[in-house]
Every structure is written in C-alpha cells, then in structure tokens.
Amino acid sequence: MTSRKRSGSGSSKRPKEKVVYIYELFFRGEDPSQERRPEHSEFWNEFFLLQPNVEVLEGEITKLTGEQFAVVKPNLNMIFQKCIEMLDTDHPKRLCNSMQTLCSLFYGIFKKSTADTSYDILNDIFGYEHMDKWMKQLMVHCNRILLGDVPENARFMCLKLLLVLVTGTDNVSQNVLLEYLMMNTLFDAFVKLLSDPTLRAQHGHDIVILLTILVNYRKHEATNPYIVQLSILADELALNGYGQMISQSLIDFCRQYMQSLNNAQSSSWFSSLSNIVGNMFVSDEGCERVQQIKANNGLLLALYEAVHLNRNFITTLAHTQTESSAPPSPSNTLSLTQPVPDLANAPIIDMTQYPTNLLVAVFQYCSIVMQDNKNESSVANLKLCFLILTCISEDQYANSMMHDSNLTFKVMLHRAQMRHRKLNVDRVGKSQPLAATLLDLLVEFIVSHLMKKFPMELYLLCIGVIHRILCYQKRCRVRLNYPWKELWSALIGLLRFLVNQEQTLVKKCNIFHLSLQVVNIFNLFITYGDTFLATTNSYDELYYELNREEKVFTELHAMVLRYTTMPDCEYKDDVIKLLNALVNILAIVKHFQNKIKEWLAEQGLSTPTEEQILDVVRKNYDLTLKLQDSLDHYDRYAEAPHHTSFFKNMVRDVVADTRKQIYGYVKEAVSTIPEPDAMLTSTSSNS
C-alpha cells in the first residue's frame, strides 16, 4: 500500500487509513464490496464501523472529471444507498458513521455542482428514479432518529446532515433537494424537540436555524409547508423554546459587550464607546465577536420570521428568562466532545445589567448594534432589527403588553458618546413600561445618525415604528407617562438636519417623504394629543417647542415652496403633501408668535422666561386648525416587494456562514461509542 509521509516527521511513514484505501478503490471505478472472499461477506457492516474521513471523501468527489463521473456514478449511487439503508440500524457507531458519510457525499456533490454548473445533482449524479425513493427514505429515517430513543450524538449528526442539505446552495430556492423536505416535512419533529427542555438545550440552535432556512425556500413562489405550519403553531412550549434560543444568544452577546466595557474601563486605555463597538465588528474572520454576530444574523432572522408569521409567538416576548431555565450556548459555539455547561454552578452576576426576556434582549441588542454604522453587515443587521420592531409595533397584544404600567423593566440601553451631549445616567436602566424603553431606543437612533452618509431607509423604518406606537395610543386611549419633549426635540433636530443638508441629500434620496412622516407625527400630537397625552401640560410643552424651534419649520416651508415651482422635481407629489401637512404647524407658530410679541410689548420685556412663554400659550388656545385626514393610519408591513432582495441576501449570508460552520463540525465529529473488538485490519499489504 502506498504510504504518505507524516507531516513534520522526516522519513517516518504511516500506513494509509483503511477507509481512505476503500474510497480510492471506489473512485477508481472498482467495487471492493464484490470481492468473493468470505471475510468480505459483511463488507458494509464493517465499512460503517470505520471512522469516515470527510476531507478525503469530499476531495475525491470534487476532483472527478466529467468522464470519471460516468465511471464512478454507479459506485456513488451504491455508497449513497448503503448509507441510507444503514440508518435503520440499532448500532450507534454505524448509525453515526453512515450519517457522517452522507454529510461528506452531499457536501462534495454540492461543491462540485457549484464549481461546474453543468451538473444536475438529481439527474447526472444520482438519477431521478433513484433519488426520489432514497430521499423519501432518508426523511423517514431522519424523523425516526430525531424523535427516537437514540444516543444524542446520533441526533446531533442527523441535524448536521439536514443542515448540510439545506445549505447546499447559496440561493436556498435553487436547492432542488429541499423539495423532498417540503414533501416529507419534519416540522412536527422540530416542534417536539423544541418543547423538550433537555433536547432543546442540546439541539435547539440547529433546529431554529433549520426552520429559518426552510421557511425561506421559494417563499414567494410556491406554497411552503413550513411557512404554513409555523404561522399556525400554537404550542406554547415550542414557541417559548424557539424564543428562548434567540434570547439566550442575544443575552450572551449583551453580556460579552458589558464585559468588554468593564475590561476596557479597568485597563486605563478606555477611549470611547464607539471604538469598543468598532472592535466588535473588525474584519478578522477568526475574531470571536465577528463569529458571534454572524450567528446572531440567523437567529435574528428566525425572530423576524416568528413575529412576522405567527401572532401566537408575540405572547412569548415578555416571558422572563432565568439562569436556571436558560439553555446553554448555541451548538455552534460548542464542540461535539464538550459537555453541556452546568448552569446550576454558573457564577452569580448582577442581573440588573442584563436582559431578562426576549423583548428586553432585542432592545439592548439594538442599542449596541446601532452604534456601529461603518460596514454593510451592521447596517443590514440593524435594518433587520427595525423590521422586527415594525412587526411588533403593529401587533395589538404586543402593544398592550409594552404599554402596561404594571409591567415594567429596567433596560440598559447603550448610548454613543458624542461631543455635543452628556449621557443622562439617570435614564439608563430606569424601571418603566417597555413602550417607553422602545421610544428611548428610537430617539437615540434619531439623534445619533445624522451623518453625511445618511441612512434614509433606517430613518424611515424608525419613524414608522414611532408612528405605529402613537396610533395604538390614540386608538386605545393609552396615556403613557413619557417625557415627550425628548422625542419632539429629536424629530425637530432631524428636520433641521434635512434642511441644512438639502443640497447634498436631495440628489441621493427623497428627503420630502421622510420630512412628511416627521411632520405628520407632530400633526398627530396636535390633532389627537388629548386622547393619549398624560397631562394638559404636555400640550403646552408641545406648542412651546414648536414656537421655540419656529425657524426650523419656517425654513422647511421655504424649501418646500422652492420645489413646488420646479417643473422637473421628481418628488413633486411628496412636496405637495408636505406643503399641506405644514399648514397647522405654521398656523400655530404664527398665532403664538403674535401673542408672545403682544404680551412682551405689554410687559415691556425683551427676553421672557420659559414659564412666561408657557403661560402665554395656556391663555391663547383660541385658534382654528385644519382637520387633516388619515393621520392615524399606516400601511401594514408587507415583506414583498419592498424587502425581497434584502431578505434574499440575508438568507444567502446565513446559509454561507452556517455551511462553513457545519462543515467544520462534520469534519471533526468523532463518535464517542467505544471501538468494537472486531475491526477491519490494516490493509497496507493489499495495496
């Protein structure tokens, strides 16, 4: 038998692995299983006792030429068939080795078909007549393994095999093998595993990622049973388990961020919050932070699918997570041979710093991610967060929960260091309803992203969430005790920025549409504020702010008037709408400016105090305003067609990252079952 030099061992040699020797025979077109010696009568039983060599098997497949494929195809079919037949065994080692061999086969075949697009996986490699039968059998066996009384490493390998299948192509909708997972759905098995605390702790991460990818298969092209089943799922244990896997990952991320802050502060080189966040997103692929946020992409997408498709899932958002019930780190952070962490012996920590449920975790996670806007991946991640918040803010139950004054949480929102402001430490971690925390988060985004590379889409989503919250408050007459002045100041600051940067921004985006959304929020307060503002003083403060910042609205009005006279303005419709939307604000400003001037003249004053202006406002509400329609209406969120390409790219990234992680685990997976005494001997003499 030909020997290879051991790396770094000089002239010393070792015999080639038995399994590698067998692979080479198969890929030369020979069939060692057909040798007529008595000791080969149990060839396949003995073959599956050998530990597969994933790299060698994948390499043998990918280096085949077109002519060699024709010769080797019968052997590939035979290995594939024998692997599936072996899944019916009760022998733990053979069961795991057959699944690991299947992983290698699929991985190598997908890699080969990607490199050479002329290959049709079903027809050229396996053939339709065989594949239909084998894949149905494979799904039956996978269902049995997932739900059966099998060793956990067998269930582990089964899920890894399914992940190899669903991540075979970058574009998940082009993966023809997923049709078999559609026709032979494993959804019920996934639900049962998520419902079991022990099994969820070990396999929940893989299941949630599997569901997320399967839901996105031909999402807008054909009926997808996983979409249908996820949308009607009402099993509270399964839904809570699904959410628990997501919240645990986000909570871990927030903890690591807090630890990085504490470490930086104690090491004397602490410079700024933004620098630390930047370090979390560096381009080094080996960086633990990068790997963690890439894992969060998949789980955030899973959260989006749940809140978008399933109204029952909303009830799990405020379920409290405790240290004793939280699952361990997701499986892509553990090796197969590592034991499950003993959470009972976890160190005691200050839980007031960390999220206690999924919604709190999302808010804190968003506050961290939104501080970094230097790369596309963080922007895409934040957009997904805003889409999740959009779906949540449209849900009646979620809103009632977030506005419940008896349901308060301390949420540590992280704020960016900026030269022109001091952080209000008193507001950090204040116990309040979640709706107030969400508004704090959105206000923080508004004031911290006024930059030349203006994230228009993110601002539209942010303002949209604010509008939905206010519409709920108006509709249900909910009076949230909130410092609205902070919101009004942030919105006016945004309008000021748009006016000042008009010449630059108007060439890149529709600033009139965004300005219209902001002005209509003010109109909502002006027209319907009596239904949701907590005190009458809030109305006084609103009118005070409008008058204090009257220059912003006057300049905005002047800018809009200029564009109404431009015949070639591409945003003419929004310009006209914005002009009409400003009517009431301008009327309020004009009315009170006159009243203030009259009062100052009477009093002989030139510089009034804030309280004096407020007093003038309280005594002069005698003005008539125009009733504006549809202020409390919005178009409900729809994924297609506005965000279709975004989700295709997001799913593509999740698929690529998952494939990379899974291949590493499949390659390194070693069965923990003891080696049987009767093993095939080394065959170096036969070579």
Side-chain angles (χ1 to χ4, degrees), residues 80-88 102 134 137-138 141:
F80 188 79
Q81 180 182 2
K82 295 300 180 180
C83 283
I84 293 178
E85 290 175 356
M86 191 56 64
L87 295 181
D88 201 28
L102 278 173
W134 292 339
Q137 291 178 355
L138 176 60
H141 289 311

Side-chain angles (χ1 to χ4, degrees), residues 370 386 389 413 435-448 459 461-467 469 482 487 490:
M370 71 168 52
F386 274 132
L389 295 178
L413 296 182
T437 301
L438 177 53
L439 287 169
D440 285 344
L441 178 70
L442 299 172
V443 167
E444 173 62 20
F445 174 81
I446 293 172
V447 301
S448 62
Y459 266 99
L461 290 171
C462 175
I463 299 301
V465 175
I466 294 173
H467 185 221
I469 294 172
Y482 186 76
L487 173 62

Side-chain angles (χ1 to χ4, degrees), residues 19 28 138 151 188 214 262 351 386 444 531 539 601 639 681:
V19 74
R28 288 204 299 262
L138 176 60
D188 289 341
L214 288 168
N262 295 334
M351 284 304 296
F386 274 132
E444 173 62 20
T531 64
Y539 246 127
E639 181 179 311
T681 59

Side-chain angles (χ1 to χ4, degrees), residues 347-618:
I348 298 175
I349 58 173
D350 180 7
M351 284 304 296
T352 62
Q353 296 185 28
Y354 303 118
T356 52
N357 63 47
L358 180 51
L359 202 51
V360 170
V362 170
F363 291 168
Q364 186 169 335
Y365 177 83
C366 289
S367 73
I368 296 172
V369 174
M370 71 168 52
Q371 295 178 55
D372 179 73
N373 47 58
K374 297 180 178 65
N375 59 74
E376 292 183 4
S377 62
S378 61
V379 172
N381 194 276
L382 183 53
K383 177 179 175 178
L384 185 54
C385 289
F386 274 132
L387 292 176
I388 291 168
L389 295 178
T390 300
C391 294
I392 291 173
S393 64
E394 286 187 359
D395 186 87
Q396 180 79 7
Y397 179 84
N399 269 306
S400 65
M401 176 188 68
M402 291 193 297
H403 286 85
D404 188 345
S405 59
N406 296 315
L407 193 63
T408 61
F409 295 86
K410 287 186 177 182
V411 184
M412 181 156 304
L413 296 182
H414 299 278
R415 290 168 164 82
Q417 293 277 7
M418 295 192 293
R419 293 178 181 177
H420 64 278
R421 72 166 183 184
K422 292 182 179 179
L423 292 183
N424 187 350
V425 180
D426 293 338
R427 293 295 308 283
V428 176
K430 178 182 177 182
S431 185
Q432 59 185 2
L434 288 174
T437 301
L438 177 53
L439 287 169
D440 285 344
L441 178 70
L442 299 172
V443 167
E444 173 62 20
F445 174 81
I446 293 172
V447 301
S448 62
H449 286 74
L450 301 175
M451 59 192 75
K452 289 185 177 180
K453 192 177 180 181
F454 188 70
M456 170 62 80
E457 187 176 27
L458 296 182
Y459 266 99
L460 286 171
L461 290 171
C462 175
I463 299 301
V465 175
I466 294 173
H467 185 221
R468 285 161 171 78
I469 294 172
L470 295 176
C471 288
Y472 169 80
Q473 293 177 7
K474 180 262 178 184
R475 183 174 63 251
C476 298
R477 295 181 175 269
V478 175
R479 300 184 186 276
L480 181 68
N481 186 17
Y482 186 76
W484 293 109
K485 185 177 179 180
E486 294 185 14
L487 173 62
W488 299 331
S489 296
L491 293 175
I492 292 172
L494 173 57
L495 290 176
R496 181 186 298 109
F497 178 83
L498 295 176
V499 171
N500 292 340
Q501 300 296 323
E502 168 219 339
Q503 294 298 324
T504 303
L505 294 177
V506 78
K507 300 172 184 176
K508 304 175 183 178
C509 53
N510 186 355
I511 61 174
F512 305 101
H513 179 60
L514 177 58
S515 300
L516 175 64
Q517 304 307 310
V518 174
V519 169
N520 277 340
I521 286 180
F522 280 108
N523 284 328
L524 191 59
F525 277 102
I526 292 168
T527 308
Y528 300 111
D530 61 315
T531 64
F532 61 87
L533 289 175
T535 64
T536 55
N537 287 339
S538 297
Y539 246 127
D540 303 335
E541 291 172 356
L542 170 61
Y543 281 31
Y544 174 83
E545 285 299 310
L546 294 177
N547 278 275
R548 189 173 69 87
E549 299 286 0
E550 59 88 16
K551 183 179 178 182
V552 174
F553 296 100
T554 302
E555 290 179 347
L556 178 62
H557 181 244
M559 182 187 78
V560 173
L561 283 177
R562 275 193 290 111
Y563 281 91
T564 59
T565 62
M566 296 181 184
D568 57 345
C569 178
E570 60 178 310
Y571 307 123
K572 203 62 170 282
D573 289 345
D574 286 318
V575 169
I576 299 300
K577 290 178 182 177
L578 178 55
L579 184 64
N580 294 329
L582 282 167
V583 170
N584 283 344
I585 294 177
L586 295 174
I588 291 170
V589 169
K590 182 178 180 180
H591 172 78
F592 284 104
Q593 287 294 311
N594 290 333
K595 295 295 182 182
I596 292 170
K597 288 178 182 178
E598 291 174 4
W599 184 84
L600 289 174
E602 291 174 2
Q603 301 297 319
L605 298 174
S606 59
T607 309
T609 64
E610 178 179 338
E611 187 55 42
Q612 287 172 332
I613 297 296
L614 284 170
D615 190 56
V616 173
V617 169
R618 294 187 191 101

Side-chain angles (χ1 to χ4, degrees), residues 167-181:
T167 60
T169 59
D170 286 346
N171 185 340
V172 67
S173 295
Q174 293 177 354
N175 189 344
V176 292
L177 295 185
L178 292 195
E179 281 297 328
Y180 295 102
L181 276 87

